[in-house]
Structure formats: C-alpha cells, structure tokens
Amino acid sequence: MYIGLISDTHGIFTDEFRDFLEPVEQLWHAGDFGGGASFAKTLSDFKPLVAVYGNCDGQDIRSEYPGHQCFECGGMKVLMTHIGGYPGHYDIRSRALIERYRPEVFVCGHSHILKVIYDERYQMLTLNPGAAGLMGWQTFRTALRFHIGEGRIYDMEVFKLPRGGANL
C-alpha cells in the first residue's frame, strides 16, 4: 500500500501537499488537524484517512478520531498517536502504549520536527512527518510518503517546503 503521512496541518492543506500526496492510496494524519470537522472532511474526501486527534483539536475532531490507534497495514503493526517523542525520549503515555502494543511502526506528530528513526530498544521505526501547516516555529513544512507491504516500509520520500516558497 502507498501511504501519505502528515501531521500538524492546523487547518492548512495547500496545493503543494495535495500534489505530493495525490498518488498515495491512504492518508495518515498524526493529529492537530485544526480547522474543525469540515477540514478533516476535506482530507477524508481527498484520500481514505486514518487519523488521531491532537492536543489542539476540538471536540468535533475528538468525537470522530481517537487519541491513539493501533492497526495492521502491509504486514506491520502500526501505533499512531499525536504526542509521542522519539527513541530515548518518549512521552510517558506513549511509552506505555508502545509497551502495551509492541508496534513495528510508531507514528506521532506534535513536535513539528520531521524525524525518521529506528528504535533498537523496541525494534520499531519511529515516524514523525513534521508539520504540514503554518502554525509554529518550523522553518519548513514537511510530509512523508512511502510504500508498506510484506512486513517492511520502502521507497520513503520526504516533501520539504519552505514556509513561504517553493519545494526543495
């Protein structure tokens, strides 16, 4: 399956991101949609959507999407939550979820910093797509897309857009 991964849109989904994510089969959103239920519907109308709510999302989003999800995709167990952290520095709630579910892929957002790190301790790939929106201090807006199948992730691509300009 071909996956697009975004987070921290904060109500923004520009044409550049739409173009980058057009070929994917499914869109994953790691929270902080912004823009309310109508914005989330725009994303779910664009591509089938698997998502969690973020700390900035209101009750309309929280009633539609859970705080975390654990699911199978491409022969891999995936755990998704908004506030996650990274190897050696996981949020206490996320570490408990990791211990409980033992995923092979851990997806989170919140930091607005793109990170792809393999965690040797938990034998899992940690993915944070950074922020696709304009809110926050990040210099670049980012997203990921990749294939997942037969128990592995491959052909991962990074989309990196300066806050005010063209794709790099």
Side-chain angles (χ1 to χ4, degrees), residues 15-92:
D15 289 342
E16 297 93 343
F17 282 84
R18 183 179 292 275
D19 292 347
F20 176 72
L21 297 167
E22 181 59 42
V24 305
E25 298 169 76
Q26 191 174 71
L27 185 61
W28 295 356
H29 193 297
D32 276 1
F33 282 87
S38 63
F39 178 74
K41 175 122 175 60
T42 299
L43 295 177
S44 66
D45 286 347
F46 172 64
K47 296 290 175 180
L49 183 63
V50 177
V52 295
Y53 69 76
N55 61 298
C56 292
D57 290 318
Q59 291 304 313
D60 54 347
I61 297 293
R62 291 171 189 239
S63 66
E64 185 73 24
Y65 299 100
H68 73 273
Q69 289 200 51
C70 189
F71 56 94
E72 293 281 333
C73 185
M76 300 186 85
K77 187 187 292 186
V78 179
L79 173 62
M80 182 188 302
T81 192
H82 181 60
I83 299 175
Y86 54 93
H89 302 278
Y90 294 113
D91 171 78
I92 192 167

Side-chain angles (χ1 to χ4, degrees), residues 93-106:
R93 281 171 262 147
S94 293
R95 187 171 47 248
L97 291 171
I98 291 166
E99 294 280 346
R100 176 179 171 194
Y101 291 111
R102 297 291 180 174
E104 294 155 297
V105 180
F106 177 60

Side-chain angles (χ1 to χ4, degrees), residues 96-148:
L97 291 171
I98 291 166
E99 294 280 346
R100 176 179 171 194
Y101 291 111
R102 297 291 180 174
E104 294 155 297
V105 180
F106 177 60
V107 175
C108 61
H110 186 64
S111 71
H112 292 214
I113 301 169
L114 184 140
K115 288 190 181 202
V116 177
I117 304 172
Y118 188 76
D119 185 329
E120 293 288 342
R121 177 178 179 196
Y122 290 107
Q123 301 291 295
M124 69 179 184
L125 184 61
T126 301
L127 302 176
N128 184 325
L134 292 167
M135 182 171 277
W137 54 267
Q138 73 277 2
T139 305
F140 293 96
R141 298 166 56 209
T142 54
L144 295 170
R145 67 182 181 192
F146 53 87
H147 293 273
I148 184 170

